[in-house]
Amino acid sequence: MIGPEFLAVAALDVLSETAAHAVDVKGRTILLCLQAGKVFAISARCSHADQELTCGAVRNGWISCPAHGARFDLATGEPLNPPATTPIMTYPVRISGGMVEVAV
Ligand code: FES
């Protein structure tokens, strides 16, 4: 069986625990978020009104949308509070040789 194709998208040491790091992967923007030493990859667009999540605050395993304040669980993409009601996309991540790799 062939697994997902992982692509190296950023060096692990450029990530911070308090802000998302945006990367372009196959024509789409993905946010890398570091929390408690673990890296999560999520969609850069909010599921509420399609605004950018890139500048959202990252804390305690969630990212908040700068537009209207919805927060999303970094691991599952599930919304944690209104006005968002549907999840955002999340992507598999692995670390290899100090690089963050994402499967899109
Ligand atoms: S666009 Fe993100 S909460 Fe409204």
Side-chain angles (χ1 to χ4, degrees):
M1 190 176 102
I2 298 175
E5 179 192 9
F6 281 86
L7 299 172
V9 295
L12 179 59
D13 63 9
V14 304
L15 303 185
S16 110
E17 289 268 350
T18 54
H21 181 80
V23 293
D24 285 323
V25 186
K26 292 186 174 176
R28 78 183 81 177
T29 304
I30 289 176
L31 302 182
L32 304 178
C33 300
L34 181 65
Q35 285 285 272
K38 187 166 164 45
V39 180
F40 301 92
I42 61 171
S43 166
R45 312 296 302 193
C46 183
S47 65
H48 171 234
D50 199 36
Q51 298 298 299
E52 278 275 349
L53 291 171
T54 309
C55 294
V58 177
R59 307 210 203 319
N60 302 323
W62 48 254
I63 187 168
S64 65
C65 177
H68 312 113
R71 293 174 302 141
F72 297 92
D73 185 299
L74 294 174
T76 65
E78 291 289 335
L80 300 174
N81 59 271
T85 57
T86 57
I88 57 173
M89 284 289 297
T90 62
Y91 303 92
V93 175
R94 72 183 185 191
I95 309 299
S96 178
M99 295 294 293
V100 179
E101 298 183 346
V102 175
V104 173

Coordinates of all heavy atoms in Angstrom, one line a residue:
M1 N 0.8 -1.2 0.0 CA 0.0 0.0 0.0 C 0.9 1.2 0.0 O 1.9 1.3 0.7 CB -0.9 0.0 1.2 CG -2.0 1.0 1.2 SD -3.1 0.9 2.6 CE -2.5 2.2 3.7
I2 N 0.5 2.2 -0.8 CA 1.3 3.5 -0.8 C 0.7 4.5 0.1 O -0.5 4.7 0.1 CB 1.3 4.0 -2.3 CG1 2.0 3.0 -3.2 CG2 2.0 5.4 -2.3 CD1 1.9 3.4 -4.7
G3 N 1.5 5.0 1.0 CA 1.0 6.0 2.0 C 1.0 7.4 1.4 O 1.3 7.6 0.2
P4 N 0.6 8.4 2.2 CA 0.6 9.8 1.7 C 2.0 10.3 1.4 O 3.0 9.8 2.0 CB 0.0 10.6 2.8 CG 0.3 9.7 4.0 CD 0.3 8.3 3.6
E5 N 2.1 11.2 0.4 CA 3.4 11.8 0.0 C 3.7 12.9 1.0 O 3.0 13.9 1.0 CB 3.3 12.2 -1.4 CG 4.6 12.9 -1.8 CD 4.5 13.6 -3.2 OE1 3.4 13.8 -3.6 OE2 5.5 14.0 -3.7
F6 N 4.8 12.8 1.7 CA 5.2 13.9 2.6 C 6.2 14.8 1.9 O 7.1 14.3 1.3 CB 5.8 13.3 3.9 CG 4.8 12.8 4.9 CD1 4.3 11.5 4.8 CD2 4.4 13.7 5.9 CE1 3.4 11.1 5.8 CE2 3.4 13.2 6.9 CZ 3.0 11.9 6.8
L7 N 6.0 16.1 2.0 CA 6.9 17.1 1.4 C 7.5 17.9 2.5 O 6.8 18.4 3.5 CB 6.1 18.0 0.5 CG 5.4 17.3 -0.7 CD1 4.5 18.3 -1.4 CD2 6.4 16.8 -1.6
A8 N 8.8 18.2 2.4 CA 9.5 19.0 3.4 C 9.1 20.5 3.1 O 9.2 20.9 2.0 CB 11.0 18.9 3.3
V9 N 8.6 21.2 4.1 CA 8.1 22.5 3.9 C 8.7 23.6 4.7 O 8.6 24.8 4.4 CB 6.5 22.5 4.2 CG1 5.8 21.7 3.2 CG2 6.2 22.1 5.6
A10 N 9.4 23.2 5.8 CA 10.1 24.3 6.6 C 11.0 23.6 7.6 O 10.9 22.4 7.9 CB 9.0 25.1 7.4
A11 N 12.0 24.4 8.0 CA 12.9 23.9 9.1 C 12.2 24.0 10.4 O 11.5 24.9 10.7 CB 14.2 24.7 9.1
L12 N 12.3 22.9 11.2 CA 11.6 22.9 12.5 C 12.0 24.1 13.4 O 11.2 24.7 14.1 CB 12.0 21.6 13.3 CG 11.4 21.4 14.6 CD1 9.9 21.4 14.6 CD2 11.9 20.0 15.2
D13 N 13.3 24.5 13.3 CA 13.7 25.6 14.2 C 13.2 27.0 13.9 O 13.6 28.0 14.6 CB 15.2 25.5 14.4 CG 16.0 25.8 13.2 OD1 15.4 26.2 12.1 OD2 17.2 25.6 13.2
V14 N 12.5 27.2 12.8 CA 11.9 28.5 12.5 C 10.5 28.6 13.1 O 10.0 29.7 13.1 CB 11.8 28.8 11.0 CG1 13.1 28.6 10.3 CG2 10.7 27.9 10.3
L15 N 10.0 27.6 13.7 CA 8.6 27.7 14.3 C 8.7 28.2 15.7 O 9.6 28.0 16.4 CB 8.0 26.3 14.3 CG 7.9 25.6 13.0 CD1 7.1 24.3 13.1 CD2 7.2 26.4 11.9
S16 N 7.6 28.9 16.0 CA 7.5 29.5 17.4 C 6.2 28.9 18.0 O 5.3 28.5 17.4 CB 7.5 31.0 17.4 OG 6.2 31.5 17.7
E17 N 6.2 28.9 19.4 CA 5.1 28.4 20.1 C 3.9 29.4 20.1 O 2.8 29.0 20.6 CB 5.5 28.1 21.6 CG 6.4 26.9 21.7 CD 5.7 25.5 21.9 OE1 4.4 25.5 22.1 OE2 6.3 24.5 21.8
T18 N 4.1 30.6 19.7 CA 3.0 31.6 19.8 C 2.4 32.2 18.5 O 1.5 33.0 18.6 CB 3.6 32.8 20.7 OG1 4.7 33.3 20.0 CG2 3.9 32.4 22.1
A19 N 3.0 31.7 17.4 CA 2.5 32.3 16.1 C 2.5 31.2 15.1 O 3.4 30.3 15.1 CB 3.3 33.5 15.7
A20 N 1.6 31.2 14.1 CA 1.6 30.3 13.0 C 2.6 30.7 12.0 O 3.0 31.8 11.8 CB 0.2 30.3 12.4
H21 N 3.1 29.7 11.3 CA 4.1 29.9 10.2 C 3.5 29.4 8.9 O 3.1 28.2 8.8 CB 5.4 29.1 10.6 CG 6.5 29.2 9.5 ND1 7.3 30.3 9.5 CD2 6.9 28.5 8.5 CE1 8.2 30.2 8.5 NE2 7.9 29.1 7.9
A22 N 3.3 30.3 8.0 CA 2.6 30.0 6.8 C 3.6 29.4 5.7 O 4.7 30.0 5.6 CB 1.9 31.2 6.2
V23 N 3.2 28.4 5.0 CA 4.0 27.8 4.0 C 3.0 27.5 2.8 O 1.8 27.3 3.0 CB 4.7 26.5 4.4 CG1 5.8 26.8 5.4 CG2 3.7 25.5 4.9
D24 N 3.6 27.6 1.6 CA 2.8 27.2 0.4 C 3.1 25.8 0.0 O 4.3 25.4 -0.1 CB 3.1 28.1 -0.8 CG 2.5 29.5 -0.6 OD1 1.3 29.5 -0.1 OD2 3.1 30.5 -0.9
V25 N 2.1 24.9 -0.1 CA 2.3 23.6 -0.5 C 1.4 23.2 -1.6 O 0.2 23.3 -1.4 CB 2.0 22.6 0.7 CG1 2.4 21.2 0.3 CG2 2.8 23.0 2.0
K26 N 1.9 22.9 -2.7 CA 1.1 22.6 -3.9 C 0.0 23.6 -4.2 O -1.1 23.3 -4.4 CB 0.5 21.2 -3.7 CG 1.5 20.0 -3.8 CD 0.8 18.7 -3.7 CE 1.8 17.6 -3.9 NZ 1.2 16.3 -3.8
G27 N 0.4 24.9 -4.1 CA -0.5 25.9 -4.4 C -1.5 26.3 -3.4 O -2.4 27.2 -3.6
R28 N -1.4 25.7 -2.2 CA -2.3 26.1 -1.1 C -1.5 26.5 0.1 O -0.4 26.0 0.3 CB -3.4 25.1 -0.8 CG -2.8 23.9 0.1 CD -3.9 22.9 0.3 NE -4.0 22.0 -0.8 CZ -4.8 21.0 -0.9 NH1 -5.7 20.7 0.1 NH2 -4.9 20.2 -2.0
T29 N -2.0 27.5 0.9 CA -1.3 28.0 2.1 C -1.7 27.1 3.3 O -2.9 26.9 3.5 CB -1.7 29.4 2.3 OG1 -1.4 30.2 1.2 CG2 -0.9 30.0 3.5
I30 N -0.7 26.6 3.9 CA -0.9 25.8 5.1 C -0.2 26.5 6.3 O 0.9 27.0 6.1 CB -0.4 24.4 4.9 CG1 -1.3 23.7 3.9 CG2 -0.2 23.6 6.2 CD1 -0.9 22.3 3.5
L31 N -0.8 26.4 7.5 CA -0.1 27.0 8.6 C 0.5 25.9 9.5 O -0.2 24.9 9.8 CB -1.2 27.7 9.5 CG -1.9 28.9 8.8 CD1 -2.9 29.6 9.8 CD2 -0.9 29.9 8.2
L32 N 1.7 26.1 9.9 CA 2.4 25.2 10.8 C 2.3 25.8 12.2 O 2.7 27.0 12.3 CB 3.9 25.0 10.4 CG 4.1 24.5 9.0 CD1 5.6 24.4 8.7 CD2 3.4 23.1 8.8
C33 N 1.9 25.1 13.2 CA 1.7 25.6 14.5 C 2.4 24.7 15.5 O 2.2 23.5 15.5 CB 0.3 25.7 14.9 SG -0.7 26.8 13.8
L34 N 3.3 25.2 16.3 CA 4.1 24.5 17.3 C 3.5 24.6 18.6 O 3.3 25.8 19.1 CB 5.6 25.0 17.3 CG 6.5 24.3 18.2 CD1 6.8 22.8 17.8 CD2 7.9 25.0 18.2
Q35 N 3.1 23.6 19.3 CA 2.5 23.6 20.6 C 3.1 22.5 21.4 O 2.9 21.3 21.1 CB 1.0 23.5 20.5 CG 0.3 24.7 20.0 CD 0.3 25.8 21.1 OE1 -0.6 25.9 21.9 NE2 1.3 26.7 21.0
A36 N 3.7 22.8 22.6 CA 4.3 21.8 23.5 C 5.2 20.9 22.7 O 5.2 19.7 23.0 CB 3.2 21.1 24.2
G37 N 6.0 21.5 21.8 CA 7.0 20.7 21.0 C 6.4 19.9 19.9 O 7.2 19.2 19.2
K38 N 5.1 19.9 19.7 CA 4.5 19.1 18.6 C 4.0 20.0 17.5 O 3.5 21.1 17.8 CB 3.3 18.3 19.2 CG 2.7 17.3 18.2 CD 1.8 16.4 19.0 CE 0.8 15.6 18.2 NZ 1.2 15.0 17.0
V39 N 4.2 19.6 16.3 CA 3.9 20.5 15.1 C 2.5 20.0 14.5 O 2.3 18.8 14.3 CB 4.9 20.4 14.0 CG1 4.6 21.3 12.8 CG2 6.3 20.8 14.6
F40 N 1.7 21.0 14.3 CA 0.4 20.7 13.6 C 0.3 21.5 12.3 O 0.9 22.6 12.2 CB -0.8 21.2 14.5 CG -0.8 20.5 15.9 CD1 -0.1 21.1 16.9 CD2 -1.4 19.3 16.1 CE1 -0.1 20.5 18.2 CE2 -1.4 18.7 17.3 CZ -0.8 19.3 18.4
A41 N -0.3 20.9 11.3 CA -0.5 21.6 10.0 C -2.0 21.8 9.8 O -2.8 20.8 9.8 CB 0.1 20.8 8.9
I42 N -2.4 23.0 9.5 CA -3.9 23.3 9.3 C -4.1 24.2 8.1 O -3.2 24.9 7.7 CB -4.5 24.0 10.6 CG1 -3.7 25.3 10.8 CG2 -4.4 23.0 11.8 CD1 -4.4 26.2 11.9
S43 N -5.3 24.3 7.7 CA -5.7 25.2 6.6 C -5.5 26.6 7.1 O -5.6 26.9 8.3 CB -7.2 25.0 6.3 OG -7.7 26.1 5.6
A44 N -5.1 27.5 6.2 CA -4.9 28.9 6.6 C -6.2 29.7 6.5 O -6.2 30.9 6.8 CB -3.9 29.6 5.6
R45 N -7.4 29.1 6.1 CA -8.6 29.8 5.9 C -9.6 29.4 7.0 O -9.8 28.2 7.2 CB -9.2 29.5 4.5 CG -8.3 29.7 3.4 CD -7.8 31.1 3.2 NE -8.8 32.1 3.0 CZ -8.5 33.3 2.5 NH1 -7.2 33.6 2.2 NH2 -9.4 34.2 2.4
C46 N -10.3 30.4 7.6 CA -11.3 30.1 8.6 C -12.5 29.5 7.9 O -12.9 29.9 6.8 CB -11.6 31.4 9.3 SG -12.8 31.2 10.6
S47 N -13.2 28.6 8.6 CA -14.4 27.9 8.0 C -15.6 28.8 8.2 O -16.7 28.5 7.7 CB -14.6 26.6 8.7 OG -14.9 26.8 10.1
H48 N -15.5 29.9 8.9 CA -16.7 30.8 9.1 C -17.0 31.7 7.9 O -18.0 31.5 7.3 CB -16.5 31.6 10.4 CG -17.6 32.7 10.6 ND1 -17.3 34.0 10.7 CD2 -19.0 32.5 10.5 CE1 -18.5 34.7 10.8 NE2 -19.5 33.8 10.7
A49 N -16.0 32.6 7.6 CA -16.2 33.5 6.5 C -15.0 33.6 5.7 O -14.7 34.6 5.0 CB -16.7 34.9 7.0
D50 N -14.2 32.5 5.6 CA -13.1 32.4 4.7 C -12.0 33.4 4.9 O -11.3 33.8 4.0 CB -13.6 32.4 3.3 CG -12.5 31.8 2.3 OD1 -11.8 30.8 2.7 OD2 -12.4 32.2 1.2
Q51 N -11.9 33.9 6.2 CA -10.8 34.9 6.4 C -9.5 34.2 6.8 O -9.5 33.0 7.1 CB -11.2 35.8 7.6 CG -12.4 36.6 7.3 CD -12.3 37.6 6.2 OE1 -11.4 38.4 6.2 NE2 -13.1 37.4 5.1
E52 N -8.4 34.9 6.7 CA -7.1 34.4 6.9 C -6.9 34.1 8.4 O -7.1 35.0 9.3 CB -6.0 35.4 6.5 CG -5.7 35.4 5.1 CD -4.6 34.3 4.7 OE1 -4.0 33.8 5.6 OE2 -4.5 34.1 3.5
L53 N -6.4 32.9 8.7 CA -6.0 32.6 10.1 C -4.6 32.9 10.4 O -4.1 32.7 11.6 CB -6.3 31.1 10.4 CG -7.7 30.6 10.4 CD1 -7.8 29.1 10.4 CD2 -8.5 31.2 11.6
T54 N -3.8 33.3 9.4 CA -2.3 33.3 9.6 C -1.9 34.2 10.8 O -0.9 33.8 11.4 CB -1.7 33.9 8.3 OG1 -2.2 33.1 7.2 CG2 -0.2 33.8 8.3
C55 N -2.6 35.3 11.0 CA -2.1 36.2 12.1 C -2.9 35.8 13.4 O -2.8 36.6 14.4 CB -2.4 37.6 11.8 SG -1.3 38.1 10.4
G56 N -3.6 34.7 13.5 CA -4.3 34.4 14.7 C -3.4 34.0 15.8 O -2.3 33.5 15.6
A57 N -3.8 34.2 17.1 CA -3.1 33.8 18.2 C -3.1 32.3 18.3 O -4.1 31.6 18.1 CB -3.7 34.4 19.5
V58 N -1.9 31.7 18.7 CA -1.8 30.3 18.9 C -1.4 30.1 20.4 O -0.4 30.5 20.9 CB -0.6 29.7 18.0 CG1 -0.5 28.2 18.3 CG2 -1.0 30.0 16.6
R59 N -2.3 29.3 21.1 CA -2.1 29.1 22.5 C -2.9 27.8 22.9 O -3.9 27.5 22.3 CB -2.8 30.1 23.4 CG -2.4 31.5 23.1 CD -2.5 32.4 24.3 NE -2.6 33.8 24.1 CZ -2.0 34.5 23.1 NH1 -1.2 33.9 22.3 NH2 -2.2 35.8 23.0
N60 N -2.3 27.1 23.9 CA -3.1 26.0 24.5 C -3.7 25.0 23.5 O -4.8 24.5 23.7 CB -4.2 26.5 25.4 CG -3.6 27.4 26.5 OD1 -2.6 27.2 27.0 ND2 -4.3 28.5 26.8
G61 N -3.0 24.8 22.4 CA -3.6 23.8 21.4 C -4.6 24.3 20.5 O -5.2 23.5 19.8
W62 N -4.8 25.6 20.4 CA -5.8 26.2 19.5 C -5.2 27.4 18.8 O -4.2 28.0 19.2 CB -7.1 26.5 20.1 CG -7.1 27.3 21.4 CD1 -7.3 26.9 22.7 CD2 -6.8 28.8 21.6 NE1 -7.2 27.9 23.6 CE2 -6.9 29.1 22.9 CE3 -6.5 29.8 20.7 CZ2 -6.7 30.3 23.4 CZ3 -6.3 31.1 21.2 CH2 -6.4 31.3 22.5
I63 N -5.9 27.8 17.6 CA -5.6 29.0 17.0 C -6.9 29.8 16.9 O -8.0 29.2 16.7 CB -5.0 28.8 15.5 CG1 -4.6 30.1 14.9 CG2 -6.0 28.1 14.6 CD1 -3.7 29.9 13.6
S64 N -6.8 31.1 17.1 CA -8.0 31.9 17.0 C -8.0 32.7 15.7 O -7.0 33.1 15.2 CB -8.1 32.9 18.2 OG -7.0 33.8 18.2
C65 N -9.2 32.9 15.2 CA -9.4 33.7 14.0 C -9.4 35.2 14.3 O -10.2 35.6 15.1 CB -10.7 33.3 13.3 SG -11.0 34.2 11.8
P66 N -8.6 35.9 13.6 CA -8.5 37.4 13.9 C -9.8 38.1 13.6 O -10.1 39.2 14.1 CB -7.3 37.9 13.1 CG -6.6 36.7 12.7 CD -7.5 35.6 12.7
A67 N -10.6 37.5 12.6 CA -11.8 38.3 12.2 C -12.9 38.3 13.2 O -13.4 39.4 13.5 CB -12.3 37.6 10.9
H68 N -13.3 37.2 13.7 CA -14.5 37.2 14.6 C -14.3 36.3 15.8 O -15.2 36.0 16.6 CB -15.8 36.7 13.8 CG -16.0 37.3 12.5 ND1 -15.9 36.7 11.3 CD2 -16.2 38.7 12.2 CE1 -16.1 37.5 10.3 NE2 -16.3 38.7 10.9
G69 N -13.1 35.8 16.0 CA -12.7 35.2 17.3 C -13.0 33.7 17.4 O -12.8 33.1 18.5
A70 N -13.4 33.0 16.4 CA -13.6 31.5 16.5 C -12.2 30.9 16.8 O -11.2 31.4 16.3 CB -14.2 31.0 15.3
R71 N -12.2 29.9 17.6 CA -11.0 29.2 17.9 C -11.1 27.7 17.3 O -12.2 27.2 17.4 CB -10.7 29.1 19.4 CG -10.3 30.5 20.0 CD -10.2 30.4 21.5 NE -11.4 29.8 22.1 CZ -11.5 29.0 23.1 NH1 -10.4 28.5 23.7 NH2 -12.6 28.5 23.5
F72 N -10.0 27.2 16.9 CA -10.0 25.9 16.3 C -8.9 25.0 17.0 O -7.8 25.5 17.2 CB -9.7 25.9 14.8 CG -10.7 26.7 14.0 CD1 -10.6 28.0 13.8 CD2 -11.9 26.0 13.5 CE1 -11.6 28.7 13.1 CE2 -12.8 26.7 12.8 CZ -12.7 28.1 12.6
D73 N -9.3 23.8 17.3 CA -8.4 22.8 17.8 C -7.3 22.5 16.8 O -7.7 22.1 15.7 CB -9.2 21.5 18.2 CG -8.3 20.5 19.0 OD1 -7.3 20.0 18.4 OD2 -8.6 20.2 20.1
L74 N -6.0 22.6 17.1 CA -5.0 22.4 16.1 C -4.9 20.9 15.7 O -4.5 20.6 14.6 CB -3.6 22.8 16.7 CG -3.5 24.3 17.0 CD1 -2.2 24.6 17.7 CD2 -3.6 25.1 15.7
A75 N -5.2 20.0 16.6 CA -5.1 18.6 16.3 C -6.2 18.1 15.4 O -6.0 17.2 14.5 CB -5.0 17.8 17.6
T76 N -7.4 18.6 15.7 CA -8.6 18.0 14.9 C -9.2 19.0 13.9 O -10.0 18.6 13.1 CB -9.7 17.6 16.0 OG1 -10.2 18.9 16.6 CG2 -9.2 16.7 17.0
G77 N -8.9 20.3 14.1 CA -9.5 21.3 13.2 C -10.9 21.7 13.7 O -11.6 22.6 13.1
E78 N -11.4 21.0 14.8 CA -12.8 21.3 15.2 C -12.9 22.7 15.8 O -12.0 23.2 16.5 CB -13.2 20.3 16.3 CG -13.4 18.9 15.8 CD -14.7 18.7 14.9 OE1 -15.6 19.5 15.1 OE2 -14.7 17.8 14.1
P79 N -14.0 23.4 15.5 CA -14.2 24.7 16.1 C -14.5 24.6 17.6 O -15.2 23.6 18.0 CB -15.5 25.3 15.4 CG -16.2 24.1 14.9 CD -15.1 23.0 14.7
L80 N -14.0 25.5 18.4 CA -14.2 25.4 19.9 C -15.2 26.4 20.4 O -15.7 26.3 21.5 CB -12.8 25.6 20.6 CG -11.7 24.6 20.3 CD1 -10.4 25.1 20.9 CD2 -12.1 23.2 20.7
N81 N -15.5 27.4 19.5 CA -16.5 28.4 19.9 C -17.1 29.0 18.6 O -16.4 29.1 17.6 CB -16.0 29.4 20.9 CG -14.8 30.2 20.4 OD1 -13.7 29.8 20.6 ND2 -15.1 31.3 19.8
P82 N -18.3 29.6 18.7 CA -18.9 30.3 17.6 C -18.0 31.6 17.3 O -17.2 32.0 18.1 CB -20.3 30.8 18.1 CG -20.5 29.9 19.3 CD -19.2 29.6 19.9
P83 N -18.2 32.1 16.1 CA -19.2 31.8 15.1 C -18.9 30.6 14.2 O -19.8 30.3 13.4 CB -19.4 33.1 14.3 CG -18.0 33.7 14.3 CD -17.4 33.4 15.7
A84 N -17.8 30.1 14.2 CA -17.5 28.9 13.3 C -18.2 27.7 13.8 O -18.3 27.5 15.0 CB -16.0 28.6 13.3
T85 N -18.7 26.9 12.9 CA -19.5 25.7 13.3 C -18.9 24.4 12.6 O -19.3 23.3 12.9 CB -21.0 25.8 13.0 OG1 -21.1 26.1 11.6 CG2 -21.6 26.9 13.8
T86 N -18.0 24.6 11.6 CA -17.5 23.5 10.9 C -16.0 23.5 11.0 O -15.3 24.5 11.2 CB -17.9 23.5 9.4 OG1 -17.4 24.7 8.8 CG2 -19.4 23.4 9.2
P87 N -15.4 22.3 11.0 CA -13.9 22.2 11.1 C -13.1 22.8 10.0 O -13.7 22.9 8.9 CB -13.7 20.7 11.2 CG -15.0 20.0 11.2 CD -16.0 21.0 10.8
I88 N -11.9 23.1 10.3 CA -10.9 23.4 9.2 C -10.1 22.2 8.9 O -10.1 21.2 9.7 CB -10.0 24.6 9.6 CG1 -9.2 24.3 10.9 CG2 -10.8 25.9 9.7 CD1 -8.2 25.3 11.2
M89 N -9.5 22.2 7.7 CA -8.7 21.0 7.3 C -7.4 20.9 8.2 O -6.8 21.9 8.6 CB -8.2 21.2 5.9 CG -9.2 20.9 4.8 SD -9.7 19.1 4.7 CE -8.1 18.4 4.2
T90 N -7.0 19.7 8.5 CA -5.7 19.4 9.2 C -5.0 18.4 8.3 O -5.6 17.7 7.5 CB -5.9 18.8 10.6 OG1 -6.6 17.5 10.4 CG2 -6.7 19.7 11.5
Y91 N -3.7 18.4 8.4 CA -2.8 17.6 7.5 C -1.8 16.8 8.4 O -1.3 17.3 9.4 CB -2.1 18.5 6.5 CG -3.0 19.4 5.7 CD1 -3.3 20.6 6.1 CD2 -3.5 18.9 4.5 CE1 -4.1 21.4 5.4 CE2 -4.4 19.7 3.7 CZ -4.7 21.0 4.2 OH -5.5 21.7 3.5
P92 N -1.5 15.6 7.9 CA -0.5 14.8 8.6 C 0.9 15.5 8.6 O 1.2 16.0 7.6 CB -0.5 13.5 7.8 CG -1.8 13.4 7.1 CD -2.1 14.8 6.8
V93 N 1.6 15.4 9.7 CA 2.9 16.0 9.8 C 3.9 15.0 10.3 O 3.5 14.1 11.2 CB 2.8 17.2 10.9 CG1 4.2 17.7 11.1 CG2 1.9 18.3 10.4
R94 N 5.1 15.0 9.9 CA 6.2 14.3 10.5 C 7.4 15.1 10.4 O 7.5 16.1 9.6 CB 6.4 12.9 9.8 CG 7.0 13.0 8.4 CD 7.1 11.6 7.7 NE 7.8 11.8 6.5 CZ 7.9 10.8 5.6 NH1 7.3 9.6 5.8 NH2 8.6 11.0 4.4
I95 N 8.4 14.8 11.3 CA 9.6 15.5 11.4 C 10.7 14.6 10.9 O 10.8 13.4 11.4 CB 10.0 16.0 12.8 CG1 8.8 16.7 13.4 CG2 11.2 16.8 12.9 CD1 8.4 18.0 12.7
S96 N 11.6 15.1 10.0 CA 12.7 14.3 9.5 C 13.9 15.1 9.3 O 13.8 16.1 8.5 CB 12.2 13.6 8.2 OG 13.3 12.8 7.6
G97 N 15.0 14.8 9.9 CA 16.2 15.5 9.7 C 16.1 17.0 10.0 O 16.7 17.8 9.4
G98 N 15.3 17.4 11.1 CA 15.2 18.8 11.4 C 14.2 19.5 10.5 O 14.0 20.7 10.7
M99 N 13.6 18.8 9.6 CA 12.6 19.5 8.7 C 11.2 19.0 9.0 O 11.0 17.9 9.4 CB 12.9 19.1 7.2 CG 14.2 19.6 6.7 SD 14.3 21.5 6.6 CE 13.1 21.8 5.3
V100 N 10.2 19.9 8.9 CA 8.8 19.6 9.0 C 8.3 19.1 7.6 O 8.5 19.8 6.6 CB 8.0 20.8 9.4 CG1 6.5 20.5 9.6 CG2 8.5 21.4 10.7
E101 N 7.7 18.0 7.6 CA 7.2 17.4 6.4 C 5.7 17.3 6.6 O 5.2 16.8 7.6 CB 7.8 16.0 6.1 CG 9.3 16.1 5.8 CD 9.9 14.8 5.5 OE1 9.2 13.7 5.6 OE2 11.1 14.8 5.0
V102 N 4.9 17.7 5.5 CA 3.5 17.7 5.5 C 3.0 16.8 4.3 O 3.5 16.9 3.2 CB 2.9 19.1 5.4 CG1 1.4 19.1 5.3 CG2 3.4 19.9 6.6
A103 N 1.9 16.1 4.6 CA 1.2 15.3 3.5 C 0.0 16.1 3.1 O -0.9 16.3 4.0 CB 0.9 13.9 4.0
V104 N -0.1 16.5 1.9 CA -1.3 17.3 1.4 C -2.1 16.5 0.4 O -1.5 15.9 -0.5 CB -0.8 18.6 0.8 CG1 -2.0 19.4 0.2 CG2 -0.2 19.5 1.9
Ligands
FES1 S1 -14.0 34.5 9.6 FE1 -13.1 33.4 11.2 S2 -14.5 33.7 12.8 FE2 -15.4 34.7 11.2

